[in-house]
Amino acid sequence: MSGLDTIPPVLLARLGKPDSRAIDGYVADGGYASWKNVLAGAKSGEWTPAKLTDMVKASGLRGRGGAGFPCGLKWTFVPTKEKRGEKPVYLLCNADESEPGTFKDRLLIEQDPHQILEGMMLASFALDVKHAYIYIRGEMVHGAEYLNAAIAEAHAKGFLGTDILGSGVDLTITVHRGAGAYICGEETALIESLEGKRGHPRIKPPFPAVSGVWGCPTVVNNVETLCCVKHIVDRGADWFKGVGRNEKNTGPKLYAVSGHVEKPGVYEAPIGIPWEQLLAMAGGVRGGRKLKAVIPGGSSAPMLTAAEIAGIPMDFDGIAAAKSMFGSAAIIVMDETTDIPKAVTNIAKFYAHESCGQCTPCREGTPWLLKMLRRIVNGEGKKTDLDLLLQISNQMGNGMTICVFADAAIAPVISGITKFRGEFEAYIEKSTKPGFETAASSDITAAIADRTAAGMHS
Amino acid sequence: MSGGANVPVAEQAGLPRTGEHGALSCGKALSFSKEARAELDRLLTRYPTKQAALLPTLWLAQKEWGWISREAVDAVASLLGLAPAFVWGVVTFYTMYNRAPVGKHLIQVCTSISCHLNGAEEVFHECKKRLGGLKTGETSKDGKYTVIEVECLAQCDKAPAVMVNDDDYAVITKDNLDAFLKGLG
Ligand SMILES: Cc1cc2nc3c(=O)[nH]c(=O)nc-3n(C[C@H](O)[C@H](O)[C@H](O)COP(=O)(O)O)c2cc1C
Ligand code: SF4
Ligand code: FES
């Protein structure tokens, strides 16, 4: 048997069950058994934080929030009790999911919130956390309600609180709602936002594991990552390692497939399945049309042409080898009818809107890219625009800024222009006003004025 | 003096005047209801600092008064011991705090990439048109509708995705738009 063989759903096992959110069903399905087991073992010394951390390390679990950093290793960066003194350790569950194309965490939150809570409980035990927070994006109003209801149920059953089930372990979980800002998914911006400020990313180091929220050691983990922790404790590190393509890409994975496919949705499969298998799960390209390009990891991943993605293993290293990014496994499929310059302009709009504004290259660069791209697709592009776009992009990226948002913003522009240059040139050739600076920025200025006058957005 | 040049932008748009720190004024002093105060007390126990309760307190304020006016900023600031200008700076960073009154139905159409690939811009445009030619962010005369564009709602599989107040709507197209709007009432 190979690690890529189809397995019954793990993360989505409880999907579609009647009242999948209720604690009774969760417990009936074996939920909270690991938590009870760990708590009981804590007394006898059979379970220690180190043992749980080692298990997660041995599983090879890499963070599911985008960067793919080994989860267990990240946990070991938290200073020991001797070093941190009186300072508490915090666990933050990153439920800010807002990258265009990404919708896997929403499903977990809305269908199986107890799975997330149990993952958080186990992680909190490993990290000696007494208070954990779930930072959920503001738009997921019902998701926040479901999580709050689940927390209340867990309290009532005695799985949260003080001296939980007589183990001497204390844990509180609080849901904290964001208010509409994509950048708050970046871990240090999330921390600032939780502290009651604008979500401005912090310069690293210090890394959150050493000095995070309220100056205390903090671990930020994605929703899906924490769910994986639960299943690792349930079934063992070897089981997790046995699923997936190789020892650097282990475990089951949620793929969010959207765009031009027959059946957009979230699909669970061993990490590293070949591209064709994933596309088949999503019903293939819509209307039997030909594939043009794929954005493999959310809008910030460089797009790959149909030829480039053929046969690629869908995991961190497989997609990195193809010079793109696995990110949060948000797969955006574009068929042959897609107007790439318009798609790139659309993505540029997102980044121009969401820049936090701290760094000049990002604050000034993102609207500049958008303005030029809009000019091109509005039929007012100049011959020199494409090289200028690439030049600006290069000046924005490569570590010029506090966080990697600027690098994310330029990836679609650079990959779009390099791989589909002819389509941009065709727009420019049809241009009505070649050669001169035009007033084509008026649409964005007008849009901004619109919003400002109405007192909304800016 | 006559003419529009000196009339504040907000008033030209039929909105209340801006006050200190640029926020619009609702014209009356505000204080939180008893229930909201109780909720706030509960909130404060959940964070080691008072300031951390800022986002949740602003949510409370929006629930009480529908939007965040200058007076709401002042009320929140004094409750949490923060400067009003600081609170206003936080309000403006996030898109979900309404800085002006909005309609009974705040219609947010996602126009990010997966929705764009499924015709979201057309839905957005049509939506404004069918509600009487509303501009982005403008509220219909009867106070019922405000339409704005929103970035990815994390339901890209249901593109084009729309959110109205707290509720999500899937696959809103030009064809079912009328039925959708009618359904809102
Ligand atoms: C601009 C930006 C946005 C991000 N958004 C999210 C997000 O919505 N959810 C998430 O889990 N991680 C997001 N991340 C990644 C986090 O910074 C962080 O790496 C992650 O939450 C760590 O969790 P993990 O190790 O479990 O993956 C984002 C990163 C950046 C730079
Ligand atoms: S790169 Fe952009 S988003 Fe990141 S800190 Fe700088 S301005 Fe903010
Ligand atoms: S792109 Fe519209 S919901 Fe994600």
Side-chain angles (χ1 to χ4, degrees):
Chain A
M1 198 177 137
S2 118
L4 293 182
D5 287 347
T6 326
I7 48 162
V10 178
L11 296 158
L12 300 185
R14 306 191 59 253
L15 204 72
K17 290 209 169 191
D19 212 5
S20 65
R21 289 189 285 271
I23 197 164
D24 291 340
Y26 184 73
V27 170
D29 289 336
Y32 291 123
S34 284
W35 182 224
K36 284 194 266 189
N37 185 14
V38 165
L39 289 171
K43 266 240 137 105
S44 63
E46 190 201 329
W47 273 104
T48 61
K51 183 177 166 187
L52 214 158
T53 303
D54 284 343
M55 202 169 172
V56 172
K57 261 167 111 175
S59 75
L61 170 63
R62 292 171 72 171
R64 298 326 198 202
F69 195 81
C71 180
L73 183 62
K74 179 150 97 183
W75 289 5
T76 63
F77 295 159
V78 172
T80 56
K81 245 186 189 139
E82 296 77 62
K83 282 204 186 131
R84 67 176 190 260
E86 292 300 296
K87 282 187 179 174
V89 182
Y90 290 102
L91 172 71
L92 312 183
C93 170
N94 191 341
D96 194 54
E97 179 165 75
S98 35
E99 174 132 335
T102 313
F103 49 95
K104 63 184 182 68
D105 295 342
R106 182 198 265 263
L107 193 68
L108 295 168
I109 294 164
E110 292 184 349
Q111 296 276 340
D112 203 356
H114 283 289
Q115 182 182 194
I116 304 170
L117 295 187
E118 191 174 4
M120 289 180 74
M121 292 167 184
L122 296 164
S124 296
F125 178 80
L127 294 160
D128 193 20
V129 167
K130 305 221 163 358
H131 200 148
Y133 293 84
I134 304 173
Y135 187 102
I136 185 169
R137 69 175 292 187
E139 286 88 346
M140 291 187 196
V141 187
H142 299 304
E145 286 165 2
Y146 299 150
L147 284 166
N148 273 322
I151 290 170
E153 282 182 329
H155 259 287
K157 284 253 194 280
F159 296 145
L160 283 172
T162 46
D163 188 21
I164 301 169
L165 304 178
S167 63
V169 174
D170 303 341
L171 180 63
T172 306
I173 298 180
T174 296
V175 175
H176 187 88
R177 276 182 74 204
Y182 161 73
I183 192 62
C184 291
E186 194 279 338
E187 55 183 4
T188 59
L190 186 148
I191 287 168
E192 289 278 307
S193 181
L194 180 56
E195 288 180 354
K197 305 175 195 158
R198 299 182 139 218
H200 284 171
R202 293 178 181 172
I203 293 172
K204 294 193 271 193
F207 288 92
V210 177
S211 177
V213 71
W214 303 299
C216 301
T218 302
V219 170
V220 183
N221 271 139
N222 170 259
V223 167
E224 185 187 345
T225 310
L226 291 162
C227 289
C228 286
V229 168
K230 173 214 148 48
H231 296 289
I232 290 165
V233 180
D234 276 3
R235 305 178 190 218
D238 284 340
W239 162 79
F240 197 86
K241 244 171 86 176
V243 179
R245 183 168 67 97
N246 58 24
E247 61 182 22
K248 290 203 155 156
N249 297 277
T250 61
K253 180 77 193 88
L254 298 184
Y255 296 90
V257 190
S258 66
H260 297 152
V261 288
E262 284 290 347
K263 293 186 292 176
V266 179
Y267 295 94
E268 180 171 353
I271 194 166
I273 56 164
W275 158 248
E276 287 72 14
Q277 193 178 328
L278 182 62
L279 182 62
M281 286 171 94
V285 180
R286 203 174 57 187
R289 281 194 277 269
K290 260 171 51 194
L291 181 69
K292 183 170 194 172
V294 178
I295 303 175
S299 62
S300 53
M303 54 177 78
L304 296 173
T305 63
E308 285 171 324
I309 194 138
I312 292 282
M314 300 301 282
D315 60 29
F316 295 105
D317 300 313
I319 291 182
K323 296 203 169 50
S324 185
M325 218 172 66
F326 187 53
S328 52
I331 323 283
I332 303 161
V333 176
M334 298 185 278
D335 72 17
E336 56 189 327
T337 65
T338 309
D339 183 322
I340 298 284
K342 280 193 177 154
V344 170
T345 307
N346 177 280
I347 300 175
K349 173 201 70 151
F350 173 80
Y351 288 99
H353 186 258
E354 299 295 330
S355 168
C356 90
Q358 279 193 103
C359 321
T360 313
C362 176
R363 179 185 63 245
E364 304 290 326
T366 46
W368 194 0
L369 294 178
L370 173 62
K371 196 166 133 179
M372 290 184 65
L373 287 162
R374 284 212 165 134
R375 184 166 75 202
I376 293 171
V377 298
N378 286 342
E380 297 175 335
K382 297 186 287 180
K383 281 227 157 62
T384 49
D385 278 353
L386 296 181
D387 290 329
L388 186 55
L389 275 167
L390 293 175
Q391 190 194 329
I392 298 166
S393 297
N394 282 322
Q395 285 165 357
M396 287 166 62
N398 314 311
M400 300 292 292
T401 49
I402 295 174
C403 85
V404 297
F405 178 97
D407 296 85
I410 62 175
V413 178
I414 295 179
S415 60
I417 294 180
T418 7
K419 294 175 186 183
F420 297 93
R421 194 170 177 116
E423 288 191 37
F424 289 85
E425 283 169 351
Y427 266 109
I428 292 170
E429 270 152 32
K430 281 186 290 183
S431 165
T432 47
K433 294 176 194 162
F436 295 96
E437 192 60 64
T438 67
S441 63
S442 58
D443 57 340
I444 173 173
T445 328
I448 290 170
D450 249 19
R451 292 178 169 196
T452 319
M456 313 188 61
H457 304 258
S458 59
Chain B
M1 250 199 298
S2 67
N6 291 323
V7 179
V9 177
E11 238 164 84
Q12 287 178 38
L15 294 167
R17 296 181 78 111
T18 51
E20 271 168 57
H21 48 74
L24 295 180
S25 165
C26 68
K28 54 178 185 288
L30 297 173
S31 53
F32 279 95
S33 67
K34 237 187 165 157
E35 296 75 41
R37 288 294 295 260
E39 172 71 14
L40 181 68
D41 288 340
R42 207 173 56 81
L43 273 172
L44 286 172
T45 64
R46 302 182 159 195
Y47 305 97
T49 70
K50 240 179 164 181
Q51 181 175 350
L54 179 52
L55 264 59
T57 308
L58 287 168
W59 279 124
L60 271 181
Q62 183 146 304
K63 201 165 125 200
E64 292 255 282
W65 302 304
W67 62 290
I68 307 289
S69 62
R70 177 193 153 186
E71 290 79 5
V73 167
D74 291 344
V76 170
S78 85
L79 267 180
L80 297 179
L82 298 166
F86 176 84
V87 173
W88 180 238
V90 170
V91 171
T92 55
F93 185 79
Y94 299 94
T95 57
M96 293 182 74
Y97 296 126
N98 302 326
R99 287 180 257 148
V102 294
K104 183 170 158 226
H105 305 292
L106 176 61
I107 305 174
Q108 309 193 67
V109 183
C110 170
T111 55
S112 292
I113 184 71
S114 300
C115 290
H116 160 86
L117 293 171
N118 286 288
E121 274 97 350
E122 195 183 21
V123 171
F124 179 53
H125 178 78
E126 279 295 317
C127 199
K128 290 190 287 182
K129 202 167 111 188
R130 290 189 202 186
L131 292 174
L134 289 183
K135 284 197 204 122
T136 304
E138 193 186 4
T139 301
S140 61
K141 290 230 159 54
D142 58 6
K144 266 185 157 173
Y145 308 98
T146 309
V147 187
I148 59 171
E149 221 175 327
V150 68
E151 298 298 348
C152 182
L153 287 169
Q155 44 170 1
C156 329
D157 53 338
K158 309 195 181 75
V162 172
M163 191 172 173
V164 184
N165 300 337
D166 293 350
D167 298 318
D168 306 307
Y169 293 83
V171 201
I172 303 300
T173 63
K174 221 177 128 178
D175 297 331
N176 63 16
L177 187 60
D178 282 330
F180 160 71
L181 291 173
K182 219 168 159 187
L184 294 179

